[in-house]
């Protein structure tokens, strides 16, 4: 029975590849652009690591299960992930986000900067996993972006635009994408299913979310092939406090987001890409990809999940890219703050 | 004597009362049953939480409730209540506990004064159903684990919003259909 099922799936994949969705072989091919971007990213990451210089020690307090500990970590090098590694495997597996001094939301792979008290957030964090949920939704959008860039055939040229600020209550996470050679596309159920499967496949590769703040010039260099991001970067820099653009990388996919993101893609559990809607905007025709997903530790029966899937099919009411316009300048300005804190 | 006066005679308990007492099979007969109950009741007031066979716990519960409610209602100056407490409580210092500790503790309660839980049976050793009886407000850790507040977990947030969206849709349909109905009636006439 199982074997029969897998055959069917392969069959689907084959027939669909004739239409729009690429086969798994093409999925793995790194294009030249990707290699160039990743090279720049690696170099900058290495440079920043070397710039730390003389290693200083900081004290990190952790109060919570399984035990209260005081850790002596390296300033500018050690991350919350390293702290979790010192404490317990359970913390490594379930934590998606760190809370520093009870105020600052901190990525799992972002180096700590001073003495602090650390806490780890997960899907069942009490009293309220609100911030984890937001980070989760944001990370889902980023993973969706990674899937979209790779899932289509070469000649369709998907260009990522952006994703709105995460709102779990809207019922779906979103990525707005331009598909140059697909002016009129409404995806079939099987195409959506393949996108969903690609989401899960990518997540299961357990990619870390690498966080890297970079200068405007470097960001422009990395995104020189993306006309939308090139436009957005100057505005992001204007809004940020330290004139930096924050990049995230999963595997070889690089994207801009203010974060914070999860620590690892393997926290993504069930996932469905529910619908793709066409949007008419100032930047041309964009496609709004929508999906719904639950973290790995959250169990839900299939009926309740199908309700969520149905809801995710309706067009997400998040603002369209051209509705971000403010009165002063008429270019796209994503919401961008240097650091997210608990208000 | 009319109904209202009967309810004044005996205080109303906040637990379900069995229509018939349990015999609590005993070699000494009914006397042995009372002896057993007195012993258990004393222990309950002393330790505040006991693990017993279900039948005995259930039977004791009624007596404990009645004794506490009488103590709250009449206080320690009421002769009949004091005699009753003296009969049921074997260790006499616990009579002071009943009137000076338990009666004030439970005087504001709107619920029953005791709790009865089912306890697991150690199959195949003990075949009789076990249970735990306790006085409320005891100093021990709670028997049932406290429920997590799961409202803000991501699936519950999503389901809650899906429910709201569904209702909004339905209300819209209803208002639409209400707007259409009068027109139909007019055309019929």
């Amino acid at each position: 029975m199982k074997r029969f099922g897998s055959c069917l799936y392969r069959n689907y994949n084959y027939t669909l590849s004739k239409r729009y969705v690429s086969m798994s072989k093409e999925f793995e091919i790194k294009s030249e652009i990707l290699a160039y971007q990743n090279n720049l990213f690696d170099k900058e990451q290495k440079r920043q690591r070397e710039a730390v210089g003389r290693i200083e020690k900081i004290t990190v307090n952790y109060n919570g299960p399984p035990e209260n500990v005081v850790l002596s970590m390296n300033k500018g090098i050690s991350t919350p992930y390293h702290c979790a590694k010192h404490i317990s495997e359970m913390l490594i597996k379930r934590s998606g986000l760190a809370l520093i001094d009870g105020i600052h939301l901190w990525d799992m792979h972002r180096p700590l900067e001073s003495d602090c008290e650390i806490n780890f957030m997960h899907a069942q964090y009490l009293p309220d996993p609100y911030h984890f949920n937001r980070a989760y939704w944001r990370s889902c959008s980023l993973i969706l972006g990674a899937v979209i860039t790779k899932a289509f055939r070469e000649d369709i040229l998907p260009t990522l635009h952006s994703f709105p600020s995460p709102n779990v209550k809207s019922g779906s996470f979103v990525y707005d994408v331009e598909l140059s050679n697909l002016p009129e596309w409404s995806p079939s159920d099987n195409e959506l299913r393949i996108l969903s499967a690609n989401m899960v496949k990518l997540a299961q590769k357990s990619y870390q979310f690498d966080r890297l703040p970079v200068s405007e010039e470097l960001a422009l260099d990395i995104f020189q092939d993306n006309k939308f991001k090139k436009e957005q970067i100057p505005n992001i820099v204007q809004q940020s406090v330290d004139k930096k653009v924050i990049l995230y990388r999963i595997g070889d996919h690089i994207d801009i987001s203010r974060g914070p993101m999860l620590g690892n893609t393997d926290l993504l559990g069930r996932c469905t890409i529910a619908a793709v809607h066409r949007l008419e905007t100032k930047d041309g025709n964009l496609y709004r990809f929508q999906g719904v997903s639950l973290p790995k530790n959250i169990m839900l029966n299939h009926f309740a999940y199908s309700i969520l899937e149905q809801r995710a099919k309706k067009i997400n009411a998040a603002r369209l890219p051209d509705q971000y316009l403010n009165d002063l300048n008429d270019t796209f300005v994503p919401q961008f703050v240097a650091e997210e804190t608990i208000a | 004597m009319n109904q209202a006066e009967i309810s004044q005679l005996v205080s109303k308990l906040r637990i379900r009362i069995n229509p018939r007492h349990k015999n609590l099979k005993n070699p000494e007969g009914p006397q042995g049953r009372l002896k057993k109950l007195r012993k258990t009741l004393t222990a309950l007031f002393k330790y505040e939480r006991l693990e017993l066979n279900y039948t005995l716990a259930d039977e004791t519960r009624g007596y404990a409730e009645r004794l506490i409610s009488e103590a709250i209602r009449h206080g320690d100056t009421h002769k009949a209540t004091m005699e009753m407490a003296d009969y049921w409580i074997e260790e006499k210092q616990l009579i002071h506990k009943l009137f000076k500790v338990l009666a004030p503790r439970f005087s504001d309660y709107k619920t029953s004064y005791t709790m009865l839980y089912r306890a697991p049976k150690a199959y195949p050793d003990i075949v009789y159903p076990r249970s735990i009886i306790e006085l409320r407000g005891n100093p021990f850790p709670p028997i049932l684990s406290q429920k997590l507040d799961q409202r803000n977990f991501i699936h519950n947030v999503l389901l809650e919003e899906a429910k709201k969206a569904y209702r909004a849709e339905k209300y819209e349909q209803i208002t639409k259909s209400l707007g259409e109905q009068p027109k139909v009636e007019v055309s019929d006439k």
Side-chain angles (χ1 to χ4, degrees), chain A residues 124 126 128-129 133 298 314, chain B residues 148 152-155 158 169:
Chain A
Q124 284 146 339
L126 289 174
D128 192 350
N133 292 349
I298 299 281
K314 288 171 194 161
Chain B
L148 295 180
N152 295 319
F153 289 6
I154 196 163
H155 58 305
L158 286 166
E169 207 175 282

Side-chain angles (χ1 to χ4, degrees), chain B residues 99-128:
Chain B
F99 287 104
K100 290 179 184 158
V101 179
L102 298 182
R105 187 205 287 179
F106 292 127
S107 59
D108 295 335
Y109 272 47
K110 296 276 180 285
T111 56
S112 63
Y113 311 121
T114 57
M115 276 299 283
L116 188 62
Y117 302 95
R118 290 183 180 281
K121 277 184 282 188
Y123 183 84
D125 298 349
I126 306 171
V127 290
Y128 298 114

Side-chain angles (χ1 to χ4, degrees), chain A residues 96-298:
Chain A
L97 199 61
L99 186 63
I100 302 294
D101 293 332
I103 320 172
H104 303 284
L105 297 172
W106 211 264
D107 291 273
M108 288 299 281
H109 297 289
R110 178 178 175 186
L112 296 166
E113 287 162 6
S114 60
D115 292 355
C116 59
E117 192 166 306
I118 199 167
N119 208 342
F120 296 98
M121 287 177 153
H122 53 99
Q124 284 146 339
Y125 179 77
L126 289 174
D128 192 350
Y130 172 79
H131 293 285
F132 176 91
N133 292 349
R134 266 176 70 88
Y136 180 74
W137 224 231
R138 190 182 286 123
S139 309
C140 284
S141 286
L142 193 125
I143 298 171
L144 178 57
V147 164
I148 292 166
T149 48
K150 284 164 192 167
F152 286 92
R153 232 167 44 195
E154 297 273 310
D155 56 317
I156 287 168
L157 297 177
T159 313
L160 299 184
H161 188 287
S162 62
F163 51 91
S165 174
N167 180 10
V168 177
K169 288 189 172 180
S170 68
S172 53
F173 57 84
V174 171
Y175 212 118
D176 294 330
V177 182
E178 185 195 61
L179 303 173
S180 319
N181 299 330
L182 273 184
E184 298 285 339
W185 181 51
S186 55
S188 67
D189 283 351
N190 284 333
E191 281 164 344
L192 289 175
R193 229 164 265 156
I194 286 178
L195 284 174
S196 312
N198 281 350
M199 283 283 281
V200 176
K201 274 187 198 165
L202 185 98
Q204 282 176 352
K205 286 188 179 153
S206 298
Y207 289 128
Q208 280 185 11
F209 284 82
D210 290 329
R211 180 185 186 277
L212 192 73
V214 298
S215 63
E216 185 180 358
E217 295 78 40
L218 185 63
L220 282 172
D221 197 5
I222 287 177
F223 289 105
Q224 59 180 311
D225 295 300
N226 188 324
K227 56 186 177 186
F228 302 122
K229 305 262 180 204
K230 250 186 342 192
E231 246 177 64
Q232 293 157 17
I233 286 167
N235 296 304
I236 293 168
V237 172
Q238 249 181 15
Q239 288 195 356
S240 74
V241 182
D242 52 356
K243 304 291 169 209
K244 293 268 183 184
V245 182
I246 296 171
L247 303 185
Y248 279 92
R249 179 168 75 170
I250 44 170
D252 54 8
H253 175 76
I254 301 175
D255 206 340
I256 306 172
S257 171
R258 70 173 159 152
M261 294 275 178
L262 298 183
N264 200 309
T265 53
D266 65 7
L267 283 173
L268 184 120
R270 226 159 168 185
C271 181
T272 308
I273 305 305
V276 179
H277 296 284
R278 220 165 122 257
L279 307 173
E280 308 261 341
T281 64
K282 192 179 66 58
D283 297 329
N285 284 338
L286 295 180
Y287 286 96
R288 172 159 280 189
F289 286 70
Q290 293 181 187
V292 66
S293 166
L294 296 175
K296 198 169 61 176
N297 295 339
I298 299 281

Side-chain angles (χ1 to χ4, degrees), chain B residues 11-185:
Chain B
S11 40
K12 189 183 174 190
L13 301 186
R14 288 153 190 162
I15 58 167
R16 188 181 65 87
I17 300 183
N18 293 325
R20 187 189 183 281
H21 69 269
K22 289 190 167 86
N23 279 340
L24 302 180
K25 197 163 58 177
N26 197 295
E28 293 176 42
Q31 280 306 316
R33 172 181 176 274
L34 290 176
K35 225 175 174 178
K36 186 78 188 154
L37 280 173
R38 284 165 67 184
K39 198 179 156 195
T40 318
L41 209 61
T42 308
L44 178 64
F45 286 143
K46 188 171 180 184
Y47 300 111
E48 304 209 3
R49 180 182 284 175
L50 302 175
E51 187 179 336
L52 301 165
N53 279 351
Y54 178 78
T55 41
L56 180 58
D58 193 32
E59 195 66 358
T60 312
R61 192 182 185 198
Y63 289 88
E65 289 273 342
R66 176 76 193 278
L67 205 51
I68 295 170
S69 68
E70 293 290 323
I72 293 170
R73 196 169 157 193
H74 300 300
D76 50 3
T77 53
H78 190 246
K79 200 181 167 203
T81 309
M82 192 53 95
E83 276 172 6
M84 195 164 117
D86 188 38
Y87 175 76
W88 286 107
I89 299 174
E90 287 176 335
E91 291 179 32
K92 298 308 166 196
Q93 69 271 32
L94 291 176
I95 297 175
H96 293 284
K97 184 176 176 183
L98 174 65
F99 287 104
K100 290 179 184 158
V101 179
L102 298 182
R105 187 205 287 179
F106 292 127
S107 59
D108 295 335
Y109 272 47
K110 296 276 180 285
T111 56
S112 63
Y113 311 121
T114 57
M115 276 299 283
L116 188 62
Y117 302 95
R118 290 183 180 281
K121 277 184 282 188
Y123 183 84
D125 298 349
I126 306 171
V127 290
Y128 298 114
R130 303 285 284 171
S131 67
I132 292 167
I133 185 169
E134 66 172 11
L135 296 180
R136 282 185 199 259
N138 63 49
F140 305 116
I143 287 177
L144 302 178
S145 59
Q146 271 154 347
K147 244 187 169 182
L148 295 180
D149 182 10
Q150 303 195 341
R151 271 175 307 169
N152 295 319
F153 289 6
I154 196 163
H155 58 305
N156 287 334
V157 172
L158 286 166
L159 283 171
E160 183 67 29
E161 291 302 314
K163 188 170 88 185
K164 279 184 198 163
Y166 176 77
R167 281 193 182 158
E169 207 175 282
K170 281 285 161 198
Y171 285 139
E172 210 170 290
Q173 279 178 11
I174 290 167
T175 46
K176 243 183 205 172
S177 65
L178 283 178
E180 283 166 10
Q181 266 176 3
K183 281 181 198 168
V184 177
E185 280 173 82

